[in-house]
Amino acid sequence: MNRPTVCTVVSCGETKQDLPAGETVPARELYDSSVHPCKDRYARHSEAYYIMSAEYGLVRHDTELAYYDRSLDELPEAGVRAWSHDVARDLERVLSDGEFDAVVLIGSETYVGALRSHFDRLPAAVLTPWQTNDDVTGVGRGMSWCNDESRWPENIDSLEEIGEVVSPAPREV
C-alpha cells in the first residue's frame, strides 16, 4: 500500500515579526504567535506546505513576504468571498499539478470556514482536523494535535489516521 501524498495548508497568524520597511522573510518565519510553530512543524512533514494569508492569498511556505497587518476577521463579507475564491482557485491548481491524495487545512474556523463552499471543486480529499476532531477543543489542543508525530503525513498509511475526510476527492468515472 502506498502512503497518501498530502499537501498541508495552514492559516496565517495575527501576530507577525516587526520587520523594517522593505525587508522580507520566508512566509513560514513571518508569523510569531505561540500556535504558529506547531502548525509549521506539522506542515513541514507534508509533501507540500502552503499558507493561506489574508493579505497575499495562498503562498508557498518559503515565499518571501513583507510585514502586513490584515486579517480575514477585518474584511467585509464580499472581501472574504473574493479571498476564498482566489485561494480555492490557486489551491485547485496546486493540488492538480502535484497529484495529491489530500489537503489538510489547519487553522481557525474563520479561514477554513471561508473555503468550505469550495471543497467540492478541489481534486483531493479535504481534511479539517481542527474543526472535525473531537480531541481538538481549543488552541492548546490544536497545538497538541499538530505536535503528535503519529499524525504527521510522513508517518501515516491512510488519511483516516489524520482525521475525518470532509470532502472526498472527485472520482474518475
Side-chain angles (χ1 to χ4, degrees), residues 4-9 42 52 88 91-92 95 100-107 111-133 145 159-160 162-171:
T5 57
V6 175
C7 175
T8 298
V9 179
Y42 178 90
M52 46 185 151
L91 184 55
E92 183 178 12
L95 296 172
F100 291 97
D101 295 310
V103 59
V104 176
L105 302 174
I106 299 177
Y111 286 77
V112 173
L115 294 173
R116 191 165 278 116
S117 66
H118 302 284
F119 286 177
D120 61 344
R121 76 186 236 200
L122 298 177
V126 178
L127 293 96
T128 60
W130 282 22
Q131 283 72 33
T132 59
N133 187 312
W145 185 93
L159 297 179
E160 289 75 21
I162 295 174
E164 177 184 340
V165 176
V166 176
S167 178
R171 300 290 175 218

Side-chain angles (χ1 to χ4, degrees), residues 65-142:
L65 298 181
Y67 175 85
Y68 65 93
D69 187 19
R70 175 177 277 184
S71 168
L72 285 189
D73 294 322
E74 302 165 348
L75 295 179
E77 188 175 322
V80 172
R81 277 195 312 273
W83 176 88
S84 70
H85 179 272
D86 293 347
V87 168
R89 179 199 61 225
D90 293 346
L91 184 55
E92 183 178 12
R93 187 178 61 248
V94 164
L95 296 172
S96 292
D97 291 350
E99 298 182 9
F100 291 97
D101 295 310
V103 59
V104 176
L105 302 174
I106 299 177
S108 70
E109 182 59 29
T110 300
Y111 286 77
V112 173
L115 294 173
R116 191 165 278 116
S117 66
H118 302 284
F119 286 177
D120 61 344
R121 76 186 236 200
L122 298 177
V126 178
L127 293 96
T128 60
W130 282 22
Q131 283 72 33
T132 59
N133 187 312
D134 290 337
D135 295 333
V136 180
T137 56
V139 173
R141 291 204 177 176

Side-chain angles (χ1 to χ4, degrees), residues 3 17 29 49 63-64 81-83 89 111 146 169:
R3 185 176 60 79
Q17 288 189 49
E29 295 175 18
Y49 169 13
T63 300
E64 292 283 323
R81 277 195 312 273
W83 176 88
R89 179 199 61 225
Y111 286 77
C146 286

Side-chain angles (χ1 to χ4, degrees), residues 11 14 16 20 34-35 38 41 44 51 61 69 73 76 89 103 108 110 116 135 141-142 148-149 166:
S11 60
E14 183 176 349
K16 300 163 193 71
S34 60
V35 74
C38 300
R41 186 174 302 115
R44 285 186 287 125
I51 296 173
H61 71 281
D69 187 19
D73 294 322
R89 179 199 61 225
V103 59
S108 70
T110 300
R116 191 165 278 116
D135 295 333
R141 291 204 177 176
D148 181 349
E149 293 180 28
V166 176

